[in-house]
């Protein structure tokens, strides 16, 4: 029996980061595997999704959700297999979307689980952590409900190579907008243009970022899909058109802030710009969505994915112990696509491998 | 014949203000009265509305409308009487809503005029410059379309004693919200509570303004109807609830700014608050409204006014020459209700007065 079957490996918040997180802010622990009580299921994690929002949970600052306590398991969306069940609705072997966090096993009473073996036909389960899950829903709601894109408009998408931005930009393309991406580094920028088909993508680490962005937006910006902030927003602000919309679902450039930056104070400047140009700026998260919108989203997005109108790249890193390093790299902005940690393997795959071993031993 | 019948008195922008405007930024001029050419009407101004937005037009800074040029007539909404007409649709003696600006006479080709003698029954023409006009429409659209008030919510209205704020707060009351006003001085605050029926009104010039505002908002703020900015917004920001809405139609505290205030830079703080609490902040003006919404607004608001559900106070100052001083006082925030300049008198009134004079001379 492999070690993961008898020990629960979990990664806890070891210390709160000051500035950018490092791997030292995390700690790998071993625990016993809990047994499900009546009404509970024991889940074995197959995939953990790493997402920028997790950075804000590491700080002791009020945000849209409560912070993770020090010494507690890091939170996160997961695809799991039901390992044992004392819950009438779940049978061993079923696959579920849940929130087990950064660990190999977890108990659930089922309230936060979505079955993945039924319903719409997913090509593979991990899409439930990406284009058909939280990142996809964030992109869908922000771009359509708040952005309200019109054909011919210029849409600029921050963090365009990452899970949320990549989907938001592709939806804008489906709405016949001219879509410009912003990404961190030349490889992600190439991916955004060549694989996702954006009209252009500007490297935010380029010294002339603001000038390059202005050059590819000769008609200004009608929708700015914001999830970075900082110097990227500063470059966008003067380009915004009258009646622009700013769906705001993340501010990764600020997650590492400790204290406010030096002046002058531009809070009033932002308000005056929103007034002078009658701009809508709205924070949102996919957590606020009710179930009804989720079903509409999942059906529509699934169709787009099946028809190859929306592409979704996954980057899979093997082993829970590698999650801290992968997360630190994610925040640096060099990633593209959704970032997944393969925490455990499918039982079928293990059995197939065992069978292959047995066959080869016989030959 | 009184002097106003042979000379066009007009007030032009003499110089751009640095900081708060003074009467020296304006200049009273005399001009000949123009004659209408074919397709034109000559309008004689009866009432001119003074509104805070005019401050932004005095600056050479891009805002939602072009600035007034130095030596040009100040802009403004007016109720006028058609004095002479070469336009088939207008007859002498008719009353119209228009945009003659700060002057006694003006020509129009009719495109910017609304007839006031027909249509819904106004109790008096000046309402077309107030609750049934631009200020009323601003309050109506901002509160209902952007604010989307729900029964039981806490609504805070800036400049609550003035034309727009007074109407916005009363609409919120009709939607069964708990409405808190912010005004400048004890008299305006008393007016807001005693005459308009708000639950409370806080004097923004009080040293403990922020503490007093927090004390009357124990459940936080769900809608903040913004038209001041500055220190008022600073006090509101920490009180905003999750999913709060901020309709933004003016920033009078900033109209006199020259340059940005000292740091720290709180632009990112505002963005983080919008994200953490999923807040919608949206600039808007009534100028953006299409005709369809205007008709809906006018019918509904007229009913509210007729049924005394919405009260509207007018403050009338006699004489165009007094407009600069009245405008300077308006910006100081001590006014309440709509501020109108009586530029000319109704012909009927003049005739009645002449008849009374003649009668008294005979007696």
């Amino acid at each position: 029996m492999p070690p993961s079957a008898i020990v629960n490996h979990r990664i806890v918040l070891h210390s709160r980061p000051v500035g950018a997180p490092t791997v030292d802010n995390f700690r790998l622990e071993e625990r016993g595997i809990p047994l499900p009580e009546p009404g509970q299921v024991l889940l074995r994690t197959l995939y953990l999704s790493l997402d920028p929002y997790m950075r804000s949970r590491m700080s002791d600052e009020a945000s849209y959700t409560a912070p993770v306590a020090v010494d507690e398991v890091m939170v996160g969306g997961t695809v799991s297999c039901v390992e044992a069940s004392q819950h009438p609705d779940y049978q061993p072997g079923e696959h579920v979307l849940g929130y087990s966090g950064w660990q190999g096993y977890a108990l659930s009473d089922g309230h936060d689980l979505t079955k993945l073996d039924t319903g719409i036909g997913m090509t593979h389960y991990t899409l439930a952590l990406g284009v058909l899950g939280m990142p996809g829903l964030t992109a869908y709601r922000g771009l359509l409900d708040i952005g309200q894109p019109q054909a011919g408009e210029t849409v600029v998408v921050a963090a365009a190579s990452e899970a949320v931005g990549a989907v938001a930009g592709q939806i804008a393309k489906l709405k016949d907008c001219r879509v410009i991406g912003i990404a961190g580094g030349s490889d992600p920028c190439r991916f955004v243009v060549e694989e996702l088909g954006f009209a252009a993508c500007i490297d935010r680490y380029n010294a002339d970022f603001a000038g390059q962005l202005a050059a590819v937006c000769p008609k200004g910006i009608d929708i700015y899909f914001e999830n970075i902030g900082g110097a990227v927003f500063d470059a966008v602000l003067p380009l915004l058109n009258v009646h622009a919309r700013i769906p705001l679902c993340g501010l990764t450039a600020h997650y590492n802030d400790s204290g406010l930056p030096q002046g002058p104070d531009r809070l009033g400047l932002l308000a005056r710009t929103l007034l002078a140009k009658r701009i809508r700026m709205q924070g949102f998260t996919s957590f606020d969505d009710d179930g009804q919108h989720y079903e509409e989203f999942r059906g529509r997005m699934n169709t787009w994915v099946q028809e190859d109108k929306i592409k979704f790249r996954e980057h899979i890193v093997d082993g829970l112990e590698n999650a801290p390093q992968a997360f630190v790299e994610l925040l640096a902005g060099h990633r593209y696509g959704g970032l997944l940690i393969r925490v455990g393997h499918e039982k079928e795959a293990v059995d197939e491998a065992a069978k292959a071993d047995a066959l080869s031993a016989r030959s």
Side-chain angles (χ1 to χ4, degrees), chain A:
Chain A
M1 206 176 242
S4 65
I6 48 168
V7 173
N8 184 19
H9 287 96
R10 58 185 217 169
I11 292 179
V12 302
L13 181 62
H14 181 64
S15 58
R16 298 205 183 280
V18 178
T22 67
V23 294
D24 295 333
N25 295 124
F26 302 92
R27 187 175 75 239
L28 181 66
E29 290 186 344
E30 294 189 357
R31 285 287 184 276
I33 295 172
L35 288 177
E37 298 191 357
Q40 290 186 323
V41 288
L42 174 66
L43 302 173
R44 188 169 62 85
T45 309
L46 300 178
Y47 293 96
L48 161 69
S49 178
L50 296 186
D51 298 283
Y53 76 86
M54 293 167 172
R55 171 62 185 87
S56 60
R57 304 284 189 96
M58 297 175 74
S59 292
D60 196 12
E61 188 185 303
S63 185
Y64 48 75
T65 44
V68 174
V70 171
D71 297 330
E72 285 296 313
V73 175
M74 283 292 297
V75 293
T78 47
V79 165
S80 300
C81 184
V82 175
E83 192 75 3
S85 178
Q86 293 232 47
H87 191 298
D89 297 343
Y90 296 91
Q91 306 306 319
E94 287 183 318
H95 292 83
V96 294
L97 174 67
Y99 300 91
S100 297
W102 298 30
Q103 57 185 340
Y105 291 86
L107 293 174
S108 170
D109 63 6
H111 84 278
D112 58 349
L113 302 183
T114 306
K115 291 197 184 202
L116 296 177
D117 299 282
T118 56
I120 62 165
M122 291 190 187
T123 48
H124 53 289
Y125 298 129
T126 50
L127 290 183
L129 292 171
V131 66
L132 295 179
M134 185 276 288
L137 179 58
T138 303
Y140 182 90
R141 278 211 56 221
L143 191 83
L144 295 181
D145 294 353
I146 300 172
Q148 300 181 4
Q150 307 297 315
E153 289 191 321
T154 299
V155 177
V156 171
V157 178
S161 66
E162 296 176 29
V164 175
V167 176
Q170 290 179 89
I171 299 174
K173 271 184 58 194
L174 290 175
K175 296 292 173 185
D176 296 318
C177 296
R178 185 166 175 275
V179 185
I180 308 294
I182 296 171
S186 54
D187 280 351
C189 283
R190 196 175 306 121
F191 165 73
V192 167
V193 172
E194 293 180 3
E195 291 204 34
L196 304 182
F198 289 22
C201 188
I202 310 298
D203 181 356
R204 71 188 182 100
Y205 296 121
N206 191 298
D208 186 34
F209 166 69
Q212 293 186 352
L213 183 66
V216 295
C217 299
K219 294 182 181 174
I221 297 173
D222 298 299
I223 299 176
Y224 173 53
F225 194 98
E226 169 70 301
N227 45 28
I228 294 183
V232 172
F233 186 73
D234 295 349
V236 165
L237 191 59
L239 302 177
L240 291 167
N241 286 335
V242 166
H243 292 140
R245 287 83 70 198
I246 309 175
L248 164 64
C249 64
L251 288 166
T252 52
H254 295 280
Y255 289 165
N256 296 333
D257 286 355
S258 48
L260 296 171
Q262 285 197 310
D265 184 5
R266 298 178 304 148
L267 186 151
L269 171 70
L270 175 54
R272 287 204 303 280
T273 304
L274 298 183
L275 173 61
K277 294 182 173 172
R278 290 90 83 199
I279 292 169
R280 175 179 181 176
M281 183 168 184
Q282 183 169 350
F284 73 102
T285 74
S286 62
F287 302 118
D288 291 321
D289 190 68
D290 54 47
Q292 199 180 354
H293 282 112
Y294 179 70
E295 287 308 317
E296 175 216 299
F297 147 76
R298 211 166 71 148
R300 208 161 159 198
M301 186 65 81
N302 192 53
T303 303
W304 282 334
V305 171
Q306 299 299 330
E307 293 173 352
D308 209 30
K309 287 179 177 165
I310 299 243
K311 296 180 174 122
F312 191 74
R313 169 86 76 103
E314 290 171 343
H315 182 80
I316 297 179
V317 173
D318 260 305
L320 180 65
E321 66 279 11
N322 295 315
Q325 180 61 37
F327 182 65
V328 167
E329 290 173 16
L330 172 72
L331 291 184
H334 299 299
R335 292 283 180 184
Y336 37 105
L339 175 58
L340 300 173
I341 302 295
R342 186 185 280 121
V343 179
H345 289 268
E346 289 276 5
K347 272 288 166 62
E348 292 78 3
V350 174
D351 293 347
E352 286 299 319
K355 205 155 73 180
D357 282 352
L359 284 169
S360 75
R362 265 195 285 179
S363 68

